Amino acid sequence: MRKSALVAAFLFSIGLLSAQENTDIVGEVSVLTLGTVSASGYEHIDFPRKNFIIKRGAIANFNALEGEKVVVEEVRSENGATEVVLQRKDGRNFFRFWHTVEADFEKALAKGELILTVYKKEESLAK
């Protein structure tokens, strides 16, 4: 019983440490690129479903978002998972109506849906 409690505590602490590392990475970068989309759409980025986009009069073309630069507006870390709120860097809305979308940072990064974009400080200050 003691051994299992120690193992559980150890695994929980590792999860917290990895979440802290990912939060630091996102905080430093703050600009990400949308990666390739699967046939069914993005799995770990919470875009609205296609029928909601179409009902509002927009075109549900997820392929057009590939390579789009997004800015991290907010970082939330709960239960070892890091969730980010994304906004387009050019200031436009997603599909004409949605200003921000949420994403599971670790899963989207591992799947290739989000790509880290690293800028030097001089480049970001110049812009």
Side-chain angles (χ1 to χ4, degrees):
M1 177 100 174
R2 271 189 156 181
K3 215 177 212 183
S4 63
L6 285 174
V7 169
F10 178 71
L11 292 175
F12 180 73
S13 65
I14 287 176
L16 289 177
L17 289 175
S18 66
Q20 180 65 33
E21 290 172 6
N22 288 331
T23 304
D24 293 342
I25 290 172
V26 174
E28 291 172 4
V29 175
S30 76
V31 176
L32 304 169
T33 305
L34 292 176
T36 58
V37 61
S38 66
S40 61
Y42 289 101
E43 293 177 26
H44 305 293
I45 302 174
D46 295 330
F47 284 110
R49 294 192 321 228
K50 288 183 179 183
N51 63 331
F52 289 133
I53 297 169
I54 294 168
K55 283 180 182 178
R56 286 224 164 158
I59 299 171
N61 184 5
F62 291 104
N63 292 330
L65 294 176
E66 286 184 34
E68 187 70 40
K69 303 273 190 239
V70 291
V71 178
V72 176
E73 290 291 312
E74 184 181 345
V75 179
R76 294 181 231 146
S77 183
E78 291 182 14
N79 300 330
T82 304
E83 187 175 284
V84 292
V85 177
L86 304 171
Q87 177 184 3
R88 286 178 63 155
K89 188 174 181 187
D90 60 7
R92 297 174 54 200
N93 291 340
F94 293 102
F95 305 110
R96 291 179 32 198
F97 296 101
W98 288 272
H99 186 64
T100 60
V101 293
E102 296 177 355
D104 185 340
F105 180 69
E106 290 94 2
K107 291 179 181 177
L109 199 62
K111 183 84 175 193
E113 295 176 358
L114 287 177
I115 302 167
L116 293 175
T117 306
V118 180
Y119 288 109
K120 295 180 181 175
K121 280 191 173 183
E122 297 85 30
E123 291 177 8
S124 63
L125 291 175
K127 293 179 182 181

